[in-house]
Amino acid sequence: ALTNKEAKQKWKQSIKDSWNNCCAYCGKPPIDDSSLTLDHVKAKCRGGEDLTDNIVPADKNCNLSKGSSEWRTWFREQPFYEPWKEQRIDHWLKTGIVIQYDENT
């Protein structure tokens, strides 16, 4: 049986793995393991919970920049914003499934 700590680590890793260990916002792969964080899409201070349908991987810069902002408002102001990325995050929040896009099509 897994300890609580091991279960939590496995859960966190499964979220990162779902996104190919890339930031859900800017799409960049992390520099190293510690540079890919998990972001509460709806900030905890705004009532967001520690649930898969409220957490996406985010590199440290995106996570710090977003802070407790409403994610859509913040995201649409970013230079890397694209509507399909927003739709992909929305789909994840609703289903727990990442739509794999080929950016070259």
Side-chain angles (χ1 to χ4, degrees), residues 79-91:
F80 46 76
Y81 172 80
E82 291 186 49
W84 68 267
K85 290 181 181 177
E86 182 178 337
Q87 289 168 352
R88 189 162 79 156
I89 294 169
D90 263 336
H91 190 264

Side-chain angles (χ1 to χ4, degrees), residues 14-101:
S14 75
I15 293 172
K16 292 177 181 182
D17 290 346
S18 294
W19 288 86
N20 294 324
N21 290 297
C22 293
C23 177
Y25 301 116
C26 71
K28 289 186 198 154
I31 300 157
D32 54 48
D33 283 347
S34 66
S35 67
L36 187 65
T37 63
L38 291 174
D39 179 55
H40 290 82
V41 178
K42 181 179 182 182
K44 287 178 88 170
C45 67
R46 293 177 181 263
E49 297 183 71
D50 284 327
L51 299 171
T52 303
D53 65 6
N54 187 45
I55 293 180
V56 296
D59 71 26
K60 278 187 177 164
N61 291 337
C62 287
N63 203 337
L64 285 169
S65 169
K66 179 184 156 284
S68 61
S69 305
E70 196 281 318
W71 79 274
R72 243 181 261 278
T73 306
W74 169 83
F75 191 42
R76 289 175 179 171
E77 294 170 352
Q78 303 311 305
F80 46 76
Y81 172 80
E82 291 186 49
W84 68 267
K85 290 181 181 177
E86 182 178 337
Q87 289 168 352
R88 189 162 79 156
I89 294 169
D90 263 336
H91 190 264
W92 166 261
L93 299 176
K94 289 180 184 121
T95 66
I97 298 166
V98 179
I99 300 169
Q100 300 302 334
Y101 284 95

